[in-house]
Every structure is written in structure tokens, then in C-alpha cells.
Amino acid sequence: MDWTALTLSLELAAWTVAILLPVSVLAGRWLAYGRFRSKGAVEALVMLPLVLPPTVFGFYLLLAFGRNSPIGAFWQQTFGHQLVFTFEGLVVASVIFNLPFAIQPAQRGFEAIAVELREAAATCGMSPWRSLLKVELPLAWPGLMTAMVLTFAHTLGEFGIVLMVGGSIPGETKTIAIAIYDRVQGFDMAAAGTMSAVLVAISFSTIAVTYWLSARIGRRLA
């Protein structure tokens, strides 16, 4: 069992969820309530990582983060090291790749809130931010929680993006999915099976707890 790789995967998933939680709230609310001409194009752009093969998406991220690109050059000058083949590069790539898993469920959560409730909050003198905190977030929370669980579970098992942007550097970019692949390549099927079983158990437990919490929240709000 490669505990270092598993720990790295959990850290990557936790960072991705922490960054995407506020992004999903703001972007999901904006797409749910916004009425603008290019809304369809924005939604299609958000969903693009979901339909592209991870290796293709990872290839373009590798070019975008490379030392000769504007993003890569900025990162090199600011932090003194390159963005690709580092844990920071994995986090940035994971955040971009998981945008549809984080934003779409949040958008559906906000869309499910009745317009009358938001109008009543405004009539009572609530500012948009107070209405968001006191009225909308509690009602949209099941959607937000689904978004975060999907993001966490998807990040744990991600392979193509990690391999393209991070490679397989032990202790830096070698996640549990890459470790499983390496063990299979080395015909160490027992170790690969153990790590796969642990990954399945973590993913199943995460989703099961989420369903349980969603049911409790649903009964409380009913």
C-alpha cells in the first residue's frame, strides 16, 4: 500500500474542494439567476472538461502551464519554480477540470429556490449578500454538498490529467491512481488490488455519508 500516494490524493482532493466551494456558490448562483445573451456559451464552456478526454484536456493544460507560456512564465517569475510537474500545478489543473462537477449541481440547487422566497427576502429589506447567507444557501445546500462530494470523489480517481500535468514524481505528484497504474505495469497485482479496494471504500463511504446527510437536511427543510 502506497500511503504517501494516498495522502497526496486526499490532499489534492481537499484543496480542490476548498477552492471550488466558493467558486461553485458564486458561479452557480450567477448562472441560475443570470439572464444574458452568451449564457449558453458560458454553460458550454463550463461543461467542456466533462466531455473532453482527460488526456486531451491535460495536454492543453500542459501547454498552457509550460515555462514558455504566459501563465508558466508568470508562475516561474513569481514563485521561482515551474508550474508543471509540481503539486501546485496539479491543484490548478484539478480545479479547472472539476469545474462542471462543482458548478452544475450548485446551479441546479439555486434554480430550485422559488422566486417568491428571494422576492420576500428583498421585500423584508435583506441585502443580496444577507439573502444569500440566510435564505439561499440553506436551501441550495443539498446541491452544493452534492457538488463537493462529486468533486472530491472525482479528484481521488483522476488519472489522465494528473499524468499529463504532474507526471509521476513520488511524494510530489504521484497520486494513488498513478501508483495503481505503476503497480499494474510492474505485475504487482496484489498491491494494485489493495490500493484499488481502499479507493473504492473511501469513495463509497463519502457518497453514502452525503446521501445520509442530504436525507437529514431534506427532512429538516420539509
Short mmCIF file of all heavy atoms in Angstrom, two decimals, residues 108-170:
data_model
loop_
_atom_site.label_atom_id
_atom_site.label_comp_id
_atom_site.label_asym_id
_atom_site.label_seq_id
_atom_site.Cartn_x
_atom_site.Cartn_y
_atom_site.Cartn_z
N ARG A 108 -28.11 23.94 -10.23
CA ARG A 108 -29.44 23.30 -10.10
C ARG A 108 -30.02 23.56 -8.71
O ARG A 108 -31.25 23.72 -8.55
CB ARG A 108 -29.31 21.79 -10.33
CG ARG A 108 -28.81 21.43 -11.71
CD ARG A 108 -29.81 21.81 -12.80
NE ARG A 108 -29.23 21.58 -14.12
CZ ARG A 108 -28.81 22.56 -14.92
NH1 ARG A 108 -28.94 23.81 -14.55
NH2 ARG A 108 -28.28 22.30 -16.10
N GLY A 109 -29.17 23.59 -7.69
CA GLY A 109 -29.66 23.88 -6.34
C GLY A 109 -30.26 25.27 -6.23
O GLY A 109 -31.32 25.46 -5.62
N PHE A 110 -29.59 26.26 -6.81
CA PHE A 110 -30.11 27.62 -6.78
C PHE A 110 -31.36 27.77 -7.64
O PHE A 110 -32.28 28.52 -7.30
CB PHE A 110 -29.04 28.61 -7.24
CG PHE A 110 -27.99 28.89 -6.20
CD1 PHE A 110 -26.69 28.43 -6.35
CD2 PHE A 110 -28.30 29.62 -5.06
CE1 PHE A 110 -25.73 28.68 -5.38
CE2 PHE A 110 -27.35 29.88 -4.08
CZ PHE A 110 -26.05 29.41 -4.24
N GLU A 111 -31.39 27.06 -8.79
CA GLU A 111 -32.56 27.15 -9.66
C GLU A 111 -33.82 26.59 -8.99
O GLU A 111 -34.94 26.96 -9.35
CB GLU A 111 -32.29 26.38 -10.97
CG GLU A 111 -31.32 27.11 -11.90
CD GLU A 111 -30.96 26.29 -13.13
OE1 GLU A 111 -31.21 25.06 -13.11
OE2 GLU A 111 -30.41 26.86 -14.08
N ALA A 112 -33.63 25.67 -8.02
CA ALA A 112 -34.78 25.05 -7.34
C ALA A 112 -35.42 25.97 -6.30
O ALA A 112 -36.50 25.66 -5.79
CB ALA A 112 -34.33 23.74 -6.67
N ILE A 113 -34.77 27.08 -5.98
CA ILE A 113 -35.32 28.00 -4.98
C ILE A 113 -36.41 28.85 -5.63
O ILE A 113 -36.20 29.45 -6.69
CB ILE A 113 -34.21 28.91 -4.42
CG1 ILE A 113 -33.13 28.06 -3.74
CG2 ILE A 113 -34.78 29.91 -3.41
CD1 ILE A 113 -31.93 28.86 -3.29
N ALA A 114 -37.57 28.89 -5.00
CA ALA A 114 -38.70 29.64 -5.56
C ALA A 114 -38.37 31.13 -5.63
O ALA A 114 -37.76 31.70 -4.71
CB ALA A 114 -39.94 29.42 -4.70
N VAL A 115 -38.78 31.75 -6.73
CA VAL A 115 -38.54 33.18 -6.91
C VAL A 115 -39.21 33.99 -5.81
O VAL A 115 -38.69 35.02 -5.36
CB VAL A 115 -39.05 33.62 -8.30
CG1 VAL A 115 -38.86 35.11 -8.50
CG2 VAL A 115 -38.35 32.84 -9.40
N GLU A 116 -40.38 33.49 -5.35
CA GLU A 116 -41.12 34.22 -4.32
C GLU A 116 -40.31 34.38 -3.04
O GLU A 116 -40.43 35.39 -2.33
CB GLU A 116 -42.45 33.51 -4.02
CG GLU A 116 -43.47 33.53 -5.15
CD GLU A 116 -43.16 32.53 -6.25
OE1 GLU A 116 -42.22 31.71 -6.05
OE2 GLU A 116 -43.83 32.55 -7.29
N LEU A 117 -39.51 33.35 -2.71
CA LEU A 117 -38.71 33.43 -1.49
C LEU A 117 -37.65 34.53 -1.59
O LEU A 117 -37.42 35.28 -0.63
CB LEU A 117 -38.04 32.07 -1.23
CG LEU A 117 -38.95 30.95 -0.75
CD1 LEU A 117 -38.17 29.64 -0.62
CD2 LEU A 117 -39.57 31.32 0.60
N ARG A 118 -37.00 34.63 -2.73
CA ARG A 118 -35.98 35.67 -2.91
C ARG A 118 -36.64 37.06 -2.93
O ARG A 118 -36.10 38.02 -2.39
CB ARG A 118 -35.20 35.43 -4.20
CG ARG A 118 -34.32 34.18 -4.11
CD ARG A 118 -33.38 34.06 -5.30
NE ARG A 118 -34.08 33.76 -6.52
CZ ARG A 118 -34.08 34.52 -7.59
NH1 ARG A 118 -33.44 35.67 -7.58
NH2 ARG A 118 -34.72 34.15 -8.68
N GLU A 119 -37.83 37.13 -3.55
CA GLU A 119 -38.54 38.41 -3.57
C GLU A 119 -38.99 38.81 -2.16
O GLU A 119 -38.95 39.99 -1.80
CB GLU A 119 -39.74 38.30 -4.51
CG GLU A 119 -39.34 38.18 -5.98
CD GLU A 119 -40.55 38.00 -6.89
OE1 GLU A 119 -41.65 37.69 -6.38
OE2 GLU A 119 -40.38 38.16 -8.10
N ALA A 120 -39.41 37.82 -1.36
CA ALA A 120 -39.83 38.11 0.01
C ALA A 120 -38.65 38.60 0.84
O ALA A 120 -38.79 39.52 1.66
CB ALA A 120 -40.44 36.86 0.64
N ALA A 121 -37.46 37.99 0.63
CA ALA A 121 -36.26 38.44 1.35
C ALA A 121 -35.92 39.88 0.98
O ALA A 121 -35.57 40.68 1.85
CB ALA A 121 -35.10 37.51 1.03
N ALA A 122 -36.04 40.21 -0.30
CA ALA A 122 -35.74 41.58 -0.73
C ALA A 122 -36.77 42.55 -0.17
O ALA A 122 -36.43 43.68 0.24
CB ALA A 122 -35.71 41.65 -2.26
N THR A 123 -38.04 42.12 -0.12
CA THR A 123 -39.10 42.98 0.43
C THR A 123 -38.88 43.26 1.91
O THR A 123 -39.20 44.35 2.41
CB THR A 123 -40.47 42.30 0.24
OG1 THR A 123 -40.67 42.01 -1.14
CG2 THR A 123 -41.60 43.19 0.72
N CYS A 124 -38.31 42.28 2.62
CA CYS A 124 -38.01 42.46 4.04
C CYS A 124 -36.77 43.31 4.29
O CYS A 124 -36.37 43.50 5.45
CB CYS A 124 -37.83 41.10 4.71
SG CYS A 124 -39.35 40.12 4.80
N GLY A 125 -36.14 43.79 3.23
CA GLY A 125 -35.00 44.68 3.38
C GLY A 125 -33.66 43.98 3.43
O GLY A 125 -32.65 44.62 3.75
N MET A 126 -33.61 42.69 3.12
CA MET A 126 -32.34 41.98 3.13
C MET A 126 -31.49 42.40 1.94
O MET A 126 -31.99 42.52 0.81
CB MET A 126 -32.56 40.46 3.07
CG MET A 126 -33.04 39.83 4.35
SD MET A 126 -33.04 38.01 4.23
CE MET A 126 -33.55 37.57 5.89
N SER A 127 -30.22 42.62 2.18
CA SER A 127 -29.29 42.89 1.09
C SER A 127 -29.05 41.60 0.31
O SER A 127 -29.33 40.50 0.82
CB SER A 127 -27.97 43.41 1.64
OG SER A 127 -27.33 42.40 2.41
N PRO A 128 -28.53 41.67 -0.92
CA PRO A 128 -28.27 40.43 -1.68
C PRO A 128 -27.36 39.46 -0.93
O PRO A 128 -27.58 38.25 -0.96
CB PRO A 128 -27.60 40.95 -2.95
CG PRO A 128 -28.16 42.33 -3.13
CD PRO A 128 -28.30 42.88 -1.74
N TRP A 129 -26.32 39.98 -0.24
CA TRP A 129 -25.42 39.09 0.49
C TRP A 129 -26.11 38.44 1.68
O TRP A 129 -25.92 37.26 1.95
CB TRP A 129 -24.19 39.86 0.97
CG TRP A 129 -23.14 39.99 -0.07
CD1 TRP A 129 -22.77 41.13 -0.73
CD2 TRP A 129 -22.32 38.95 -0.62
NE1 TRP A 129 -21.78 40.86 -1.64
CE2 TRP A 129 -21.49 39.53 -1.59
CE3 TRP A 129 -22.22 37.58 -0.36
CZ2 TRP A 129 -20.56 38.80 -2.32
CZ3 TRP A 129 -21.29 36.84 -1.10
CH2 TRP A 129 -20.48 37.45 -2.05
N ARG A 130 -26.95 39.21 2.40
CA ARG A 130 -27.67 38.65 3.54
C ARG A 130 -28.71 37.63 3.08
O ARG A 130 -28.91 36.60 3.72
CB ARG A 130 -28.34 39.78 4.32
CG ARG A 130 -28.98 39.32 5.62
CD ARG A 130 -29.46 40.51 6.46
NE ARG A 130 -30.19 40.07 7.64
CZ ARG A 130 -29.63 39.62 8.75
NH1 ARG A 130 -28.31 39.57 8.83
NH2 ARG A 130 -30.36 39.24 9.77
N SER A 131 -29.34 37.91 1.96
CA SER A 131 -30.30 36.97 1.39
C SER A 131 -29.59 35.67 0.98
O SER A 131 -30.11 34.56 1.18
CB SER A 131 -30.99 37.59 0.17
OG SER A 131 -31.81 36.63 -0.47
N LEU A 132 -28.37 35.81 0.44
CA LEU A 132 -27.60 34.63 0.05
C LEU A 132 -27.27 33.76 1.27
O LEU A 132 -27.44 32.54 1.23
CB LEU A 132 -26.32 35.06 -0.66
CG LEU A 132 -25.30 33.95 -0.96
CD1 LEU A 132 -25.87 32.96 -1.96
CD2 LEU A 132 -23.99 34.54 -1.50
N LEU A 133 -26.83 34.42 2.36
CA LEU A 133 -26.39 33.68 3.54
C LEU A 133 -27.56 33.09 4.32
O LEU A 133 -27.49 31.95 4.81
CB LEU A 133 -25.56 34.60 4.45
CG LEU A 133 -24.22 35.08 3.88
CD1 LEU A 133 -23.56 36.07 4.83
CD2 LEU A 133 -23.29 33.88 3.65
N LYS A 134 -28.64 33.87 4.46
CA LYS A 134 -29.73 33.47 5.34
C LYS A 134 -30.84 32.67 4.65
O LYS A 134 -31.54 31.89 5.30
CB LYS A 134 -30.36 34.72 5.97
CG LYS A 134 -29.40 35.51 6.86
CD LYS A 134 -29.00 34.71 8.10
CE LYS A 134 -28.13 35.52 9.01
NZ LYS A 134 -27.71 34.76 10.22
N VAL A 135 -31.02 32.88 3.34
CA VAL A 135 -32.15 32.24 2.66
C VAL A 135 -31.68 31.23 1.61
O VAL A 135 -32.11 30.06 1.61
CB VAL A 135 -33.05 33.31 1.98
CG1 VAL A 135 -34.19 32.64 1.21
CG2 VAL A 135 -33.59 34.27 3.03
N GLU A 136 -30.80 31.69 0.72
CA GLU A 136 -30.48 30.85 -0.44
C GLU A 136 -29.54 29.70 -0.12
O GLU A 136 -29.76 28.56 -0.56
CB GLU A 136 -29.89 31.73 -1.55
CG GLU A 136 -30.86 32.78 -2.05
CD GLU A 136 -30.21 33.79 -2.98
OE1 GLU A 136 -29.21 33.43 -3.62
OE2 GLU A 136 -30.67 34.93 -3.06
N LEU A 137 -28.47 29.98 0.63
CA LEU A 137 -27.50 28.91 0.90
C LEU A 137 -28.11 27.73 1.67
O LEU A 137 -27.86 26.57 1.32
CB LEU A 137 -26.29 29.46 1.66
CG LEU A 137 -25.24 30.18 0.81
CD1 LEU A 137 -24.07 30.63 1.66
CD2 LEU A 137 -24.75 29.27 -0.32
N PRO A 138 -28.93 27.98 2.72
CA PRO A 138 -29.54 26.81 3.40
C PRO A 138 -30.42 25.98 2.47
O PRO A 138 -30.46 24.74 2.60
CB PRO A 138 -30.38 27.47 4.51
CG PRO A 138 -29.69 28.76 4.78
CD PRO A 138 -29.21 29.23 3.44
N LEU A 139 -31.12 26.63 1.52
CA LEU A 139 -31.99 25.89 0.62
C LEU A 139 -31.20 25.19 -0.49
O LEU A 139 -31.60 24.12 -0.96
CB LEU A 139 -33.04 26.83 0.01
CG LEU A 139 -34.05 27.42 1.00
CD1 LEU A 139 -34.93 28.46 0.32
CD2 LEU A 139 -34.91 26.31 1.60
N ALA A 140 -30.12 25.81 -0.92
CA ALA A 140 -29.32 25.23 -2.01
C ALA A 140 -28.25 24.28 -1.49
O ALA A 140 -27.51 23.70 -2.28
CB ALA A 140 -28.66 26.35 -2.83
N TRP A 141 -28.17 24.11 -0.16
CA TRP A 141 -27.09 23.32 0.42
C TRP A 141 -27.02 21.89 -0.08
O TRP A 141 -25.93 21.36 -0.34
CB TRP A 141 -27.20 23.34 1.95
CG TRP A 141 -26.07 22.63 2.60
CD1 TRP A 141 -26.13 21.52 3.37
CD2 TRP A 141 -24.68 22.97 2.53
NE1 TRP A 141 -24.87 21.14 3.79
CE2 TRP A 141 -23.96 22.02 3.28
CE3 TRP A 141 -23.97 23.99 1.88
CZ2 TRP A 141 -22.58 22.05 3.41
CZ3 TRP A 141 -22.59 24.02 2.00
CH2 TRP A 141 -21.91 23.07 2.77
N PRO A 142 -28.16 21.16 -0.27
CA PRO A 142 -28.05 19.80 -0.82
C PRO A 142 -27.33 19.76 -2.17
O PRO A 142 -26.52 18.87 -2.43
CB PRO A 142 -29.51 19.34 -0.94
CG PRO A 142 -30.21 20.12 0.12
CD PRO A 142 -29.55 21.47 0.12
N GLY A 143 -27.64 20.74 -3.03
CA GLY A 143 -26.95 20.79 -4.33
C GLY A 143 -25.48 21.09 -4.18
O GLY A 143 -24.64 20.51 -4.87
N LEU A 144 -25.15 22.00 -3.25
CA LEU A 144 -23.75 22.34 -3.02
C LEU A 144 -22.99 21.16 -2.45
O LEU A 144 -21.84 20.89 -2.82
CB LEU A 144 -23.66 23.54 -2.08
CG LEU A 144 -24.15 24.87 -2.65
CD1 LEU A 144 -24.24 25.92 -1.56
CD2 LEU A 144 -23.24 25.35 -3.75
N MET A 145 -23.63 20.44 -1.55
CA MET A 145 -22.97 19.29 -0.94
C MET A 145 -22.74 18.20 -1.99
O MET A 145 -21.66 17.57 -2.03
CB MET A 145 -23.81 18.73 0.21
CG MET A 145 -23.09 17.71 1.04
SD MET A 145 -23.87 17.49 2.64
CE MET A 145 -25.54 17.11 2.15
N THR A 146 -23.71 17.99 -2.86
CA THR A 146 -23.53 17.03 -3.95
C THR A 146 -22.36 17.44 -4.83
O THR A 146 -21.55 16.60 -5.24
CB THR A 146 -24.82 16.94 -4.80
OG1 THR A 146 -25.90 16.53 -3.97
CG2 THR A 146 -24.65 15.97 -5.94
N ALA A 147 -22.27 18.73 -5.10
CA ALA A 147 -21.18 19.23 -5.93
C ALA A 147 -19.82 18.95 -5.30
O ALA A 147 -18.89 18.49 -5.97
CB ALA A 147 -21.35 20.73 -6.16
N MET A 148 -19.71 19.17 -4.01
CA MET A 148 -18.43 18.97 -3.35
C MET A 148 -18.06 17.50 -3.25
O MET A 148 -16.90 17.13 -3.40
CB MET A 148 -18.47 19.60 -1.96
CG MET A 148 -18.60 21.12 -1.96
SD MET A 148 -17.31 21.96 -2.93
CE MET A 148 -18.19 22.35 -4.46
N VAL A 149 -19.05 16.64 -3.02
CA VAL A 149 -18.77 15.20 -2.95
C VAL A 149 -18.33 14.67 -4.31
O VAL A 149 -17.37 13.89 -4.43
CB VAL A 149 -20.00 14.44 -2.45
CG1 VAL A 149 -19.81 12.94 -2.61
CG2 VAL A 149 -20.26 14.77 -1.00
N LEU A 150 -19.03 15.09 -5.36
CA LEU A 150 -18.65 14.67 -6.71
C LEU A 150 -17.23 15.14 -7.03
O LEU A 150 -16.42 14.39 -7.60
CB LEU A 150 -19.64 15.24 -7.74
CG LEU A 150 -21.00 14.57 -7.82
CD1 LEU A 150 -21.89 15.30 -8.81
CD2 LEU A 150 -20.85 13.11 -8.24
N THR A 151 -16.92 16.36 -6.65
CA THR A 151 -15.59 16.90 -6.90
C THR A 151 -14.53 16.11 -6.14
O THR A 151 -13.48 15.75 -6.70
CB THR A 151 -15.54 18.38 -6.48
OG1 THR A 151 -16.50 19.11 -7.24
CG2 THR A 151 -14.16 18.97 -6.71
N PHE A 152 -14.80 15.82 -4.87
CA PHE A 152 -13.84 15.08 -4.05
C PHE A 152 -13.61 13.68 -4.61
O PHE A 152 -12.45 13.25 -4.80
CB PHE A 152 -14.37 14.99 -2.62
CG PHE A 152 -13.41 14.37 -1.64
CD1 PHE A 152 -12.46 15.16 -1.01
CD2 PHE A 152 -13.45 13.01 -1.36
CE1 PHE A 152 -11.56 14.60 -0.11
CE2 PHE A 152 -12.55 12.45 -0.47
CZ PHE A 152 -11.61 13.24 0.16
N ALA A 153 -14.69 12.95 -4.89
CA ALA A 153 -14.56 11.58 -5.37
C ALA A 153 -13.91 11.54 -6.76
O ALA A 153 -13.08 10.67 -7.04
CB ALA A 153 -15.94 10.91 -5.42
N HIS A 154 -14.27 12.49 -7.61
CA HIS A 154 -13.70 12.52 -8.96
C HIS A 154 -12.21 12.83 -8.92
O HIS A 154 -11.42 12.25 -9.68
CB HIS A 154 -14.44 13.56 -9.81
CG HIS A 154 -14.02 13.57 -11.24
ND1 HIS A 154 -13.25 14.57 -11.78
CD2 HIS A 154 -14.23 12.67 -12.23
CE1 HIS A 154 -13.02 14.30 -13.05
NE2 HIS A 154 -13.59 13.16 -13.35
N THR A 155 -11.82 13.73 -8.02
CA THR A 155 -10.39 14.07 -7.91
C THR A 155 -9.57 12.89 -7.41
O THR A 155 -8.45 12.67 -7.88
CB THR A 155 -10.22 15.27 -6.95
OG1 THR A 155 -11.01 16.36 -7.42
CG2 THR A 155 -8.76 15.71 -6.90
N LEU A 156 -10.12 12.13 -6.48
CA LEU A 156 -9.40 10.97 -5.94
C LEU A 156 -9.01 9.98 -7.04
O LEU A 156 -7.91 9.42 -7.01
CB LEU A 156 -10.26 10.24 -4.90
CG LEU A 156 -10.23 10.75 -3.47
CD1 LEU A 156 -11.06 9.82 -2.59
CD2 LEU A 156 -8.81 10.83 -2.94
N GLY A 157 -9.90 9.78 -7.99
CA GLY A 157 -9.64 8.77 -9.01
C GLY A 157 -9.09 9.31 -10.31
O GLY A 157 -8.89 8.53 -11.25
N GLU A 158 -8.82 10.62 -10.39
CA GLU A 158 -8.36 11.20 -11.64
C GLU A 158 -7.00 10.66 -12.05
O GLU A 158 -6.09 10.54 -11.23
CB GLU A 158 -8.31 12.73 -11.51
CG GLU A 158 -7.82 13.42 -12.77
CD GLU A 158 -8.52 12.92 -14.02
OE1 GLU A 158 -9.75 12.74 -14.01
OE2 GLU A 158 -7.83 12.67 -15.02
N PHE A 159 -6.86 10.32 -13.33
CA PHE A 159 -5.61 9.72 -13.82
C PHE A 159 -4.98 10.52 -14.96
O PHE A 159 -3.83 10.91 -14.89
CB PHE A 159 -5.89 8.29 -14.29
CG PHE A 159 -4.69 7.58 -14.85
CD1 PHE A 159 -3.73 7.04 -14.01
CD2 PHE A 159 -4.50 7.49 -16.23
CE1 PHE A 159 -2.62 6.41 -14.53
CE2 PHE A 159 -3.39 6.86 -16.75
CZ PHE A 159 -2.45 6.31 -15.91
N GLY A 160 -5.77 10.78 -16.01
CA GLY A 160 -5.21 11.39 -17.22
C GLY A 160 -4.63 12.77 -16.97
O GLY A 160 -3.51 13.09 -17.41
N ILE A 161 -5.39 13.62 -16.27
CA ILE A 161 -4.93 14.99 -16.02
C ILE A 161 -3.67 14.97 -15.14
O ILE A 161 -2.70 15.69 -15.40
CB ILE A 161 -6.04 15.80 -15.31
CG1 ILE A 161 -7.22 16.02 -16.25
CG2 ILE A 161 -5.49 17.13 -14.81
CD1 ILE A 161 -6.93 16.96 -17.39
N VAL A 162 -3.69 14.10 -14.12
CA VAL A 162 -2.55 14.02 -13.20
C VAL A 162 -1.30 13.58 -13.96
O VAL A 162 -0.21 14.15 -13.78
CB VAL A 162 -2.86 13.04 -12.06
CG1 VAL A 162 -1.62 12.80 -11.20
CG2 VAL A 162 -3.99 13.56 -11.19
N LEU A 163 -1.45 12.58 -14.81
CA LEU A 163 -0.29 12.06 -15.55
C LEU A 163 0.26 13.11 -16.51
O LEU A 163 1.49 13.24 -16.65
CB LEU A 163 -0.69 10.80 -16.31
CG LEU A 163 0.44 9.99 -16.94
CD1 LEU A 163 1.39 9.49 -15.86
CD2 LEU A 163 -0.10 8.83 -17.75
N MET A 164 -0.61 13.86 -17.19
CA MET A 164 -0.16 14.83 -18.19
C MET A 164 0.48 16.05 -17.54
O MET A 164 1.51 16.54 -18.01
CB MET A 164 -1.34 15.26 -19.07
CG MET A 164 -1.91 14.15 -19.92
SD MET A 164 -0.75 13.53 -21.15
CE MET A 164 -0.79 14.85 -22.34
N VAL A 165 -0.13 16.56 -16.48
CA VAL A 165 0.34 17.82 -15.88
C VAL A 165 1.37 17.57 -14.79
O VAL A 165 2.30 18.36 -14.62
CB VAL A 165 -0.85 18.62 -15.31
CG1 VAL A 165 -0.38 19.89 -14.62
CG2 VAL A 165 -1.83 18.96 -16.43
N GLY A 166 1.21 16.46 -14.05
CA GLY A 166 2.10 16.22 -12.90
C GLY A 166 3.12 15.14 -13.09
O GLY A 166 4.14 15.11 -12.39
N GLY A 167 2.88 14.21 -14.02
CA GLY A 167 3.79 13.09 -14.17
C GLY A 167 3.65 12.12 -13.01
O GLY A 167 2.55 11.92 -12.48
N SER A 168 4.75 11.52 -12.62
CA SER A 168 4.73 10.51 -11.55
C SER A 168 5.93 10.70 -10.65
O SER A 168 6.83 9.86 -10.61
CB SER A 168 4.70 9.10 -12.16
OG SER A 168 4.71 8.12 -11.14
N ILE A 169 5.95 11.80 -9.91
CA ILE A 169 7.07 12.11 -9.01
C ILE A 169 6.66 11.71 -7.60
O ILE A 169 5.74 12.30 -7.02
CB ILE A 169 7.41 13.61 -9.05
CG1 ILE A 169 7.68 14.06 -10.50
CG2 ILE A 169 8.60 13.92 -8.15
CD1 ILE A 169 7.85 15.55 -10.66
N PRO A 170 7.32 10.69 -7.01
CA PRO A 170 6.93 10.23 -5.66
C PRO A 170 6.98 11.36 -4.64
O PRO A 170 7.95 12.12 -4.57
CB PRO A 170 7.98 9.16 -5.35
CG PRO A 170 8.44 8.67 -6.69
CD PRO A 170 8.41 9.88 -7.58
#
